[in-house]
């Protein structure tokens, strides 16, 4: 079986088709004593042999001077780039330098709230054999890991088996950064870029990872420390997967590994899937496409889609149930396309353009694919200003990380190609002649050192560098003749990682304050006079003293789910998110109001209390004097605890399950114009927000569905209160009103008792059936009712049921989309076995049909680790897709002299 990273190196697999011309002819065959029975090697023995034989074969190959130079430079490159990345994230074996292995709970930005996720996966989902499910911990309930990537969280859980939880989270979070230079190098090797371009790609990956021009788009050090570690993990996997794809398009190999890694990158971060991986894979396939490569492309593509279907399909299927934050496109095109200082942007962009041109002139398909990909991503940033039609899901700056990384890779192609051209001119050689290994290494040192100097200057870590005082008294960094400007501050990324990894515990007196308020809330939950419940805490910048303004999102983490936090990290993952932030604004002195275009009311507890009751919030936590004064005036709020600077109030009439006074109405049509007329998600937000903020205008609560006996109505926007783009306070979500009068249908009073709420279910009793009951838990189509009709979505993304029994149970189960996606992924796994059984696809030639005859460069391109010590590949293809039934490479007789004209694979093998 040849579709693997570790191809056979001695003989074909037992199921392989054997060609007699590939058998060594000068080795005696030892058949053993007559009558002896050969013992079948154990699986463990065969696995061990397979692992060992490749590095052994690699080591036994002749160590020529050129090979020593190449291997030395490769090793030094990977050591330097990896060491730098471990250093900036404070992962070190040196005493006093390491923070990753300190047993702390990481904090900082979104990072401090990511602490909740893997622990919930470990404690509540995996035990039920689920990688996603429901949680009551945030936003009155939301589907955990349905709209957020679970693979990095699963990695944290696995590392947590042997290391403390905080250490596991920190270690996994930096893996993408640490491995990115290696992945870029591996991409270059697998894609058969000539030495020393793969080594320079490692420095390109380093440049991208330490790029300080952006901090939330994803992939670099600052974005990772802001909480986007899943992005950097996905991007690192994606680069390795693209390398395998490029190799397979050239050789027909690695279908299974390519599919697996492409799928792993997809489910590690959805933005990498949409904004980088899909366009990159399409571009590479189109560049290489011909008849046999078309088969390779579609088999890998279909397998990748199937392997990732278990997460991607439900994500897309249920996208209308998540929240659009309405961030709005960025249109400062110049700053986005050229984010660095002018000299650096000129150098990098010029070299990248040269790299693209050199690739075209030299007919380098993979280099040309990188150039085309860069153009596609440039267009994607612009076209993404309108997001993805019908889906949303994409904020156009999120395309930029892929563009920046590809630009750095092209920069290295351009830099080396230009230096090689100059070298050949000096040596009076042909322009396209390849320098010797020693000369190529010397040329590669120039851009490599250039990257190190620039990064060292930005991070103010160059040997001999220091601060210099300018004439105006300003202290700036200088190194030799180079002096920074007054605006050129020390790079922040390494400081961010230090801040994060010292953890909540490193916040001194503020950690003590934080622990006290958490302990106070835990005590309220344990007190039978108060009990567990949801808490809404005031949104204040002063919360950042705990390490992040999101610190109190961890209330359910610290209290084992007893005290839920209305606010959570995964804003988009719940349809209740807008209603929470409307409530937080009313209960806060000055809220961040992150969901755009809502009609916020700030610091008005009379409004906030009504919202708290509608959302079933038991505790309100306020810290500023202004918010405290507002809360003290509300009769529905009772002060139950204090933990300086916090005051904690209990909210009256905020039961989770209550009877309704009036029969709900079902809203069918959204009349008129506006976003709600075209976007189902916007329509539901308009209806829910209109009732939530103007309940007096509604005789009955509006629902999305219900029994046939409920009145059906249409709604239309109130044009007198419309605020559009260009209005001083616009745009804002439309207020909608019933298009026809609602006929009130009073309901008899119903008594609800014995309410028990669990993480993925709840149950209660009623004293009569047939009377609608409001359940203040976020709606999602996976909810199923036993003993009641429904549930249906109603009001601010809550649920309503009509009991058919006095005991009602609601449970979060799997939908048809879930079962379908699981079956598709199982089929994808079966395809992997099928492809391994079939083996490699044999292309008609090393380049696409019609591209022309293979050039010398094509003939010299060595596959990574294809050769044995004797220079052979040791494999016989078994899945031939060619009219020319041939073996790709024949084994030479054992002990045959080396062919000095054959290329030498100079780099260490991939493990």
């Amino acid at each position: 079986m040849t579709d693997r990273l570790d191809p056979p190196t001695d003989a074909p697999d037992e199921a392989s088709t054997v060609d007699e011309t590939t058998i060594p002819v000068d080795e005696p065959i030892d058949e053993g004593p007559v009558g002896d029975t050969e013992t079948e090697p154990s699986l463990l023995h065969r696995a061990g042999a397979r692992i060992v034989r490749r590095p052994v074969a690699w080591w036994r190959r002749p160590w020529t001077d050129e090979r020593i130079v190449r291997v030395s430079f490769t090793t030094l490159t990977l050591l330097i780039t990896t060491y730098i990345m471990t250093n900036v994230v404070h992962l070190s074996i040196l005493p006093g330098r390491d923070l990753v292995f300190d047993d702390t709970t990481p904090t900082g930005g979104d990072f401090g709230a990511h602490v909740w996720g893997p622990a919930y996966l470990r404690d509540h989902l995996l035990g039920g054999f689920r990688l996603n499910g429901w949680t009551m911990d945030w936003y009155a309930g939301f589907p955990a890991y349905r709209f957020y990537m679970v693979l990095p969280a699963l990695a944290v859980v696995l590392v947590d088996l042997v290391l403390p939880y905080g250490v596991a989270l920190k270690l996994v979070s930096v893996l993408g950064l640490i491995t990115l230079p290696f992945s870029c190098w591996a991409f270059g090797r697998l894609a058969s870029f000539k030495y020393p371009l793969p080594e320079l790609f490692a420095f390109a990956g380093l440049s991208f990872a330490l790029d300080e021009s952006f901090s939330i788009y994803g992939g670099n050090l600052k974005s990772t420390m802001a909480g986007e570690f899943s992005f950097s993990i996905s991007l690192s996997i994606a680069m390795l997967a693209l390398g395998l794809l490029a190799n397979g398009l050239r050789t027909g190999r690695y279908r299974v590994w390519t599919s697996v890694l492409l799928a792993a990158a997809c489910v590690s971060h959805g933005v990498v899937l949409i904004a980088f991986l899909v366009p990159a894979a399409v571009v590479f396939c189109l560049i290489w496409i011909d008849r046999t490569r078309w088969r390779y492309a579609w088999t890998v593509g279909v397998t990748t889609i199937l392997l990732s279907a278990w997460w991607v399909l439900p994500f897309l299927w249920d996208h209308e149930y998540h929240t659009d934050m309405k961030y709005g496109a960025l249109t400062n095109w110049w700053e986005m396309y050229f984010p660095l200082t002018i000299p650096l942007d000129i150098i990098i962009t010029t070299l990248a353009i040269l790299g693209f041109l050199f690739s075209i002139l030299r007919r380098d398909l993979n280099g040309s694919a990188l150039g085309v990909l860069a153009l596609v991503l440039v267009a994607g940033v612009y076209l993404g200003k309108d997001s993805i039609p019908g889906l949303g899901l994409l904020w156009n700056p999120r395309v930029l990380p892929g563009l920046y990384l590809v630009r750095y890779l092209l920069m290295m192609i351009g830099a080396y190609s230009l230096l090689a051209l100059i070298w050949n001119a000096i040596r009076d050689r042909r322009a396209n002649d390849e320098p010797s290994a020693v000369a190529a290494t010397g040329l590669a040192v120039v851009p490599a050192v250039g990257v190190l100097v620039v990064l060292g200057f930005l991070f103010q870590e160059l040997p001999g560098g220091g601060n210099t005082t300018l004439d105006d008294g300003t202290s700036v960094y200088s190194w030799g003749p180079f002096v920074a400007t007054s605006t050129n501050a020390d790079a922040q990324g390494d400081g961010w990682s230090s801040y994060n990894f010292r953890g909540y515990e490193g916040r001194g007196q503020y950690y003590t304050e934080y622990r006290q308020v958490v302990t106070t809330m835990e005590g309220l939950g344990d007190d039978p006079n108060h009990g567990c419940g949801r808490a809404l805490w005031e949104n204040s910048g002063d919360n950042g003293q705990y390490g992040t303004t999101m610190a109190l999102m961890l209330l359910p983490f610290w209290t084992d789910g007893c005290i839920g936090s209305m606010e959570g990290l995964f804003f988009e993952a719940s349809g209740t998110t807008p209603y929470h932030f409307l409530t937080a604004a009313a209960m806060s002195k000055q809220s961040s109001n992150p969901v755009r275009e809502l009609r916020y009311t700030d610091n008005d507890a009379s409004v906030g209390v009504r919202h708290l009751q509608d959302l079933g919030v038991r505790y309100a936590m306020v810290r500023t004097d202004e918010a405290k004064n507002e809360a003290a005036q509300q009769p529905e709020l009772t002060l139950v605890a204090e933990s300086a600077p916090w005051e904690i109030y209990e909210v009256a009439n905020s039961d989770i399950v209550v009877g309704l006074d009036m029969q709900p109405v079902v809203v069918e049509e959204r009349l008129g114009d506006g976003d709600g007329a075209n976007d189902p998600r916007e329509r539901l937000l308009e209806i829910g927000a209109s009732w939530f903020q103007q309940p007096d205008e509604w005789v009955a609560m509006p629902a999305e569905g219900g029994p046939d006996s409920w009145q059906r109505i249409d709604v239309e926007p109130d044009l007198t209160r419309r605020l559009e783009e260009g209005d001083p306070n616009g745009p804002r979500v439309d207020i909608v009103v019933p298009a026809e009068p609602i006929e009130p249908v009073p309901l008899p009073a119903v008594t609800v008792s014995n309410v028990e709420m669990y993480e993925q279910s709840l149950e209660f009793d009623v004293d009569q059936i047939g009377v609608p009951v409001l359940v203040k838990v976020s709606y999602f189509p996976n909810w199923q009712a036993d003993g009641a009709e429904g549930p249906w979505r109603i009001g601010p993304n809550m649920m309503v049921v009509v009991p058919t029994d006095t005991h009602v149970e609601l449970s979060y189960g799997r939908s048809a989309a879930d079962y379908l996606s699981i079956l598709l992924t199982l089929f994808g796994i079966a395809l992997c076995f099928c492809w391994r059984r079939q083996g490699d696809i044999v292309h008609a030639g090393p380049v696409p049909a019609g591209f022309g005859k293979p050039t010398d460069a094509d003939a010299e391109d060595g596959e990574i680790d294809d050769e044995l010590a004797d220079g052979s590949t040791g494999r016989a293809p078994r899945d031939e897709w060619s009219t020319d039934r041939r073996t790709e490479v024949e084994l030479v007789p054992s002990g045959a002299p080396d062919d000095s004209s054959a290329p030498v694979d100079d780099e260490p093998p991939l493990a």
Side-chain angles (χ1 to χ4, degrees):
M1 300 182 185
T2 58
D3 191 13
R4 51 182 173 256
L5 276 177
D6 47 0
T9 54
D10 297 305
D13 184 82
E14 64 231 22
S16 299
T17 301
V18 178
D19 187 285
E20 292 183 0
T21 62
T22 66
I23 300 175
V25 298
D26 62 344
E27 286 192 4
I29 299 177
D30 184 5
E31 299 181 351
V34 177
D36 280 5
T37 302
E38 184 177 349
T39 303
E40 178 72 18
S42 66
L43 177 64
L44 184 63
H45 180 271
R46 283 184 285 135
R50 178 168 295 174
I51 293 171
V52 170
R53 67 185 179 188
R54 293 177 62 252
V56 168
W58 175 85
W59 181 260
R60 288 177 176 174
R61 285 176 16 215
W63 285 90
T64 64
D65 291 343
E66 286 206 351
R67 188 178 183 220
I68 292 173
V69 170
R70 293 189 180 195
V71 171
S72 299
F73 185 61
T74 300
T75 304
L76 189 62
T77 292
L78 296 179
L79 287 176
I80 290 174
T81 54
T82 304
Y83 171 77
I84 291 174
M85 290 311 308
T86 58
N87 192 55
V88 296
V89 299
H90 301 279
L91 174 63
S92 176
I93 60 174
L94 299 178
R97 298 288 299 273
D98 176 75
L99 294 177
V100 172
F101 285 96
D102 288 351
D103 190 7
T104 59
T105 309
T107 186
D110 290 1
F111 209 122
H114 274 292
V115 172
W116 171 86
Y120 188 84
L121 176 69
R122 175 196 63 199
D123 298 338
H124 298 283
L125 297 180
L126 291 179
F129 301 98
R130 301 192 64 142
L131 291 176
N132 56 48
W134 191 261
T135 176
M136 299 290 187
D137 287 354
W138 291 342
Y139 296 118
F142 79 100
Y145 288 114
R146 195 176 192 88
F147 297 121
Y148 201 81
M149 295 63 65
V150 69
L151 199 60
L154 184 61
V156 174
V157 173
L158 293 176
V159 178
D160 183 40
L161 295 174
V162 294
L163 293 173
Y165 179 71
V167 175
L169 180 56
K170 290 186 286 185
L171 187 59
V172 170
S173 71
V174 300
L175 284 181
L177 290 172
I178 292 174
T179 58
L180 184 60
F182 171 84
S183 293
C184 290
W185 168 80
F187 163 77
R189 288 287 294 124
L190 289 163
S192 297
F193 283 94
K194 287 195 170 295
Y195 176 86
L197 285 178
E199 288 69 24
L200 292 179
F201 285 176
F203 285 98
L206 179 70
S207 301
F208 169 80
L210 299 183
D211 189 329
E212 294 257 320
S213 64
F214 61 101
S215 60
I216 58 173
Y217 304 156
N220 65 340
L221 173 61
K222 290 176 70 174
S223 297
T224 301
M225 291 302 111
E228 286 285 348
F229 60 86
S230 293
F231 194 111
S232 57
I233 291 171
S234 178
L235 190 60
S236 183
I237 298 173
M239 289 305 301
L240 188 56
L242 283 179
L244 286 170
L245 177 64
N247 189 287
L249 289 169
R250 186 173 65 87
T251 67
R253 303 173 64 194
Y254 305 137
R255 275 190 294 176
V256 172
W257 277 107
T258 303
S259 302
V260 168
L261 288 179
L262 284 173
C266 291
V267 301
S268 292
H269 206 287
V271 172
V272 175
L273 161 65
I274 296 169
F276 180 71
L277 205 52
V278 168
V282 170
V283 166
F284 272 81
C285 289
L286 291 178
I287 290 288
W288 279 89
I289 206 71
D290 65 9
R291 184 169 65 92
T292 60
R293 289 176 172 88
W294 163 247
R295 185 183 182 222
Y296 184 93
W298 78 255
T299 54
V300 168
V302 168
T303 308
T304 299
I305 291 171
L306 293 174
L307 290 176
S308 58
W310 64 270
W311 182 78
V312 175
L313 179 59
F315 180 99
L316 297 175
W317 189 282
D318 295 321
H319 77 277
E320 67 181 80
Y321 297 101
H322 83 265
T323 290
D324 182 359
M325 299 298 289
K326 302 177 183 292
Y327 288 135
L330 295 188
T331 56
N332 51 331
W333 309 114
W334 186 267
E335 290 81 1
M336 288 195 292
Y337 290 135
F338 306 104
L340 303 172
T341 59
I342 293 176
L344 285 178
D345 270 324
I346 292 174
I347 293 172
I348 294 171
T349 304
T350 301
L351 290 176
I353 293 172
L354 287 176
F356 188 16
L357 294 176
F358 276 120
S359 297
I360 295 173
L361 292 173
R362 294 183 174 181
R363 308 184 76 182
D364 182 339
L365 292 177
N366 289 326
S368 300
L370 285 177
V372 174
L373 176 59
L375 296 178
V376 169
L377 295 177
V378 167
V381 175
Y382 178 78
L383 297 175
K385 68 183 187 297
D386 297 319
S387 194
I388 301 176
L391 288 178
L393 306 179
L394 183 64
W395 185 40
N396 69 320
R398 298 283 257 170
V399 183
L400 291 171
L403 172 60
Y404 295 158
L405 177 56
V406 171
R407 187 173 70 155
Y408 282 121
L409 295 173
L410 287 170
M411 173 192 75
M412 287 304 185
I413 297 176
Y416 176 75
S417 299
L418 183 61
L419 291 171
L421 188 65
I422 296 172
W423 173 259
N424 286 334
I426 294 174
R427 303 283 292 181
D428 196 22
R429 292 153 51 100
R430 292 184 304 171
N432 61 346
D433 282 352
E434 291 295 329
S436 66
V438 174
T441 302
L443 296 177
V445 167
V446 177
V449 170
V451 166
L452 296 178
V453 169
V454 171
L455 292 176
F457 193 86
L458 293 175
F459 281 81
Q460 300 186 3
E461 294 289 345
L462 288 173
N467 288 337
T468 298
T469 302
L470 301 179
D471 294 338
D472 61 0
T474 305
S475 180
V476 297
Y477 184 75
S478 65
W479 182 68
F482 302 100
V483 180
T485 63
S486 58
T487 59
N488 188 265
D490 188 6
Q492 299 175 329
D494 54 341
W496 285 19
S497 58
S498 174
Y499 179 95
N500 286 8
F501 293 164
R502 294 184 190 279
Y504 287 96
E505 296 85 352
R507 300 303 296 162
Q509 69 182 64
Y510 295 112
Y511 177 65
T512 302
E513 179 183 303
Y514 177 62
R515 287 302 305 166
Q516 286 175 345
V517 69
V518 169
T519 303
T520 300
M521 294 304 299
E522 188 175 29
L524 287 172
D526 293 337
D527 188 340
N529 295 321
H530 301 288
C532 299
R534 299 168 187 156
L536 183 142
W537 36 272
E538 182 182 359
N539 195 308
S540 171
D542 291 338
N543 295 342
Q545 294 169 342
Y546 304 142
T548 170
T549 56
M550 300 180 176
L552 289 173
M553 291 180 184
L554 295 189
L555 281 171
F557 174 79
W558 300 119
T559 63
D560 196 22
C562 177
I563 304 297
S565 169
M566 275 303 295
E567 186 168 337
L569 174 61
F570 305 144
F571 292 177
E572 293 93 342
S574 173
T576 311
T577 301
Y579 309 105
H580 157 70
F581 282 110
L582 287 169
T583 309
M587 296 300 299
S588 303
K589 172 188 174 183
Q590 187 175 5
S591 182
S592 61
N593 301 344
V595 184
R596 309 296 196 268
E597 300 182 18
L598 297 182
R599 298 170 183 256
Y600 291 102
T601 300
D602 294 319
N603 199 31
D604 187 341
S606 63
V607 172
V609 166
R610 188 181 73 242
H611 293 342
L612 292 170
Q613 294 170 331
D614 290 338
L615 295 176
V617 178
R618 172 165 285 187
Y619 300 108
M621 305 167 61
V622 291
R623 66 173 295 157
T624 64
D625 292 339
E626 291 82 354
K628 290 176 182 177
N629 291 337
E630 281 287 321
Q633 299 175 39
Q634 310 308 315
E636 300 89 349
L637 299 181
T638 302
L639 183 64
V640 293
E642 293 184 64
S643 178
W646 294 91
E647 290 182 355
I648 302 156
Y649 290 83
E650 191 163 0
V651 184
N653 303 320
S654 60
D655 295 331
I656 297 296
V657 185
V658 296
L660 291 171
D661 298 328
M662 204 68 64
Q663 180 175 282
V665 294
V666 178
V667 178
E668 291 193 311
E669 294 289 337
R670 160 60 160 87
L671 305 178
D673 58 359
D675 293 339
N678 305 306
D679 184 349
R681 185 168 47 201
E682 186 72 10
R683 168 183 172 271
L684 292 169
L685 176 60
E686 289 176 352
I687 296 168
S690 295
W691 177 87
F692 193 62
Q693 296 188 280
Q694 291 88 28
D696 295 340
E697 300 178 9
W698 294 79
V699 176
M701 287 188 73
E704 186 183 9
D708 294 339
S709 59
W710 291 4
Q711 180 183 357
R712 264 60 180 171
I713 67 168
D714 300 332
V715 297
E716 59 188 3
D718 184 347
L719 299 181
T720 64
R721 290 182 283 183
R722 172 172 281 180
L723 294 173
E724 298 181 292
E725 191 79 42
D727 288 325
N729 297 316
R732 291 292 183 267
V733 172
D734 273 339
I735 297 173
V736 296
V737 295
E740 62 270 1
I742 295 175
E743 299 176 5
V745 180
L747 297 172
V750 60
T751 300
V752 179
S753 59
N754 301 323
V755 178
E756 296 289 342
M757 189 164 66
Y758 309 100
E759 283 297 342
Q760 306 204 40
S761 64
L762 75 156
E763 58 185 66
F764 57 89
D765 294 330
V766 294
D767 64 345
Q768 55 183 305
I769 63 175
V771 180
V773 173
L774 176 65
V775 181
K776 299 174 186 176
V777 172
S778 298
Y779 174 82
F780 202 76
N782 287 46
W783 279 105
Q784 302 160 358
D786 184 19
E789 295 182 65
W792 298 281
R793 177 158 43 184
I794 189 171
N797 200 48
M798 300 291 104
M799 294 191 287
V800 62
V801 297
V802 179
T804 58
D805 196 317
T806 56
H807 182 73
V808 178
E809 294 183 11
L810 290 172
S811 59
Y812 182 89
R814 287 190 170 96
S815 66
D818 292 325
Y819 287 112
L820 175 61
S821 63
I822 292 171
L823 288 175
L824 290 175
T825 295
L826 291 175
F827 182 56
I829 294 172
L831 279 183
C832 289
F833 286 99
C834 177
W835 304 147
R836 286 182 64 89
R837 179 69 179 173
Q838 289 183 4
D840 302 337
I841 292 176
V842 178
H843 300 316
V847 294
F851 186 77
K853 294 182 179 180
T855 63
D856 292 341
D858 295 321
E860 292 174 3
D861 282 343
E863 298 175 21
I864 195 164
D865 306 321
D866 289 345
E867 301 176 22
L868 304 184
D870 61 3
S872 66
T873 64
R875 62 190 184 93
R878 297 185 292 111
D879 183 19
E880 300 189 5
W881 187 256
S882 172
T883 55
D884 176 20
R885 297 190 57 82
R886 59 183 176 78
T887 54
E888 219 171 67
V889 181
E890 293 185 354
L891 291 180
V892 297
S894 176
D898 258 354
D899 181 1
S900 59
S901 65
V904 179
D905 189 4
D906 294 314
E907 281 70 18
L910 283 175

